[in-house]
Amino acid sequence: MKGVILAGGSGTRLAPLTRLMNKHLLPVGKYPMIYYAIRKLADAGIKDILLVIGKQSAGLYLEFLGSGHVFGVQIVYKIQDQPGGVAEALALASGFIHPNEDFVVLLGDNLFEDSLREYVEQFQSGAGEAMVLLKKVEDPERFGVPRIEEGQIISIEEKPDQPGSDYCVTGIYMYNAEVFEVIRMLLPSGRGELEITDVNNYYAARKTLQHSSLKGWWCDAGTFASLQEAGLRLANEKFD
């Protein structure tokens, strides 16, 4: 398995901090936010990582992460010139992922407690073409919400006014290399972006979208409140 971390975007919800630097470099506990995604992949045995970043703070990423050697991984960088959606950023990984390879995708502002190892093994041993990790939350209307029937996700609705469940789709996905063909078929959404929900709904319609639920805490650290929550949870985390 390889890993892809998506860490571009403008971070408008965290302005004015994000006028200074990309949000994935903001401190969470003792480390920059991006550190935790790399550690989660490394701890799951994933050593080859592609980091998709924007032009802002590119030099700071290189200064802090370098080649990834100090983390026990190898990091390759790609620049997403303009924000165009999660699926567009993921498409930049097409040259990094070889045919017949599986890989894990993390949104860089997703922080969580669970190890990824058991979910990686579940995906590799299953018959599905894609997998999403879910989490039960109090405010599912902020996220993509899965509709589940007979243990199968049949659709995902993005930020619904009336959520069909109290689960959300986290920013943790697994795919095989055929996902890039799916992305090539996408049309931009109403906001002009290629949406990862459309990718996952493609697999849901084919009944090949696996899912599992995180057991520990999970945080989308894209707002000031959630950034503070994540910092408190990870204040005493020690990796070194």
Side-chain angles (χ1 to χ4, degrees), residues 47-64:
K47 305 301 184 184
D48 292 316
I49 298 172
L50 173 67
L51 183 57
V52 179
I53 59 177
K55 292 181 289 186
Q56 183 194 34
S57 305
L60 293 177
Y61 278 105
L62 290 169
E63 182 71 24
F64 179 68

Side-chain angles (χ1 to χ4, degrees), residues 116-128:
L116 288 173
R117 190 176 293 272
E118 67 172 285
Y119 304 110
V120 167
E121 293 173 354
Q122 180 182 338
F123 177 61
Q124 291 187 301
S125 64

Side-chain angles (χ1 to χ4, degrees), residues 28-29 153:
V28 179
I153 294 179

Side-chain angles (χ1 to χ4, degrees), residues 2 93-103 176-178 180:
K2 289 181 177 177
S94 60
F96 175 73
I97 304 298
H98 298 152
N100 302 317
E101 281 188 328
D102 296 333
F103 64 105
N176 60 35
E178 293 180 4
F180 302 113

Side-chain angles (χ1 to χ4, degrees), residues 97-235:
I97 304 298
H98 298 152
N100 302 317
E101 281 188 328
D102 296 333
F103 64 105
V104 181
V105 182
L106 299 181
L107 302 188
D109 58 0
N110 274 229
L111 302 170
F112 52 94
E113 182 178 7
D114 292 36
S115 168
L116 288 173
R117 190 176 293 272
E118 67 172 285
Y119 304 110
V120 167
E121 293 173 354
Q122 180 182 338
F123 177 61
Q124 291 187 301
S125 64
E129 299 174 305
M131 182 173 179
V132 296
L133 297 189
L134 310 179
K135 182 62 182 175
K136 192 173 185 179
V137 294
E138 295 180 355
D139 51 355
E141 67 277 0
R142 290 182 52 221
F143 308 100
V145 178
R147 181 181 173 194
I148 302 173
E149 292 184 1
E150 299 180 354
Q152 180 75 45
I153 294 179
I154 62 171
S155 66
I156 300 169
E157 185 178 3
E158 192 66 26
K159 299 180 180 179
D161 293 331
Q162 297 182 328
S165 74
D166 51 4
Y167 283 86
C168 77
V169 177
T170 71
I172 307 170
Y173 320 104
M174 300 178 205
Y175 302 105
N176 60 35
E178 293 180 4
V179 71
F180 302 113
E181 295 299 324
V182 178
I183 295 173
R184 290 187 187 100
M185 296 187 296
L186 294 183
L187 296 175
S189 66
R191 58 179 183 170
E193 297 187 352
L194 299 183
E195 307 289 352
I196 198 66
T197 296
D198 292 339
V199 173
N200 293 330
N201 272 328
Y202 170 86
Y203 292 111
R206 289 165 57 90
K207 298 185 178 180
T208 58
L209 181 62
Q210 301 180 62
H211 70 277
S212 191
S213 296
L214 294 173
K215 302 175 183 66
W217 62 264
W218 167 82
C219 181
D220 166 22
T223 67
F224 285 107
S226 57
L227 183 66
Q228 183 180 36
E229 176 192 348
L232 292 172
R233 289 187 181 277
L234 293 166

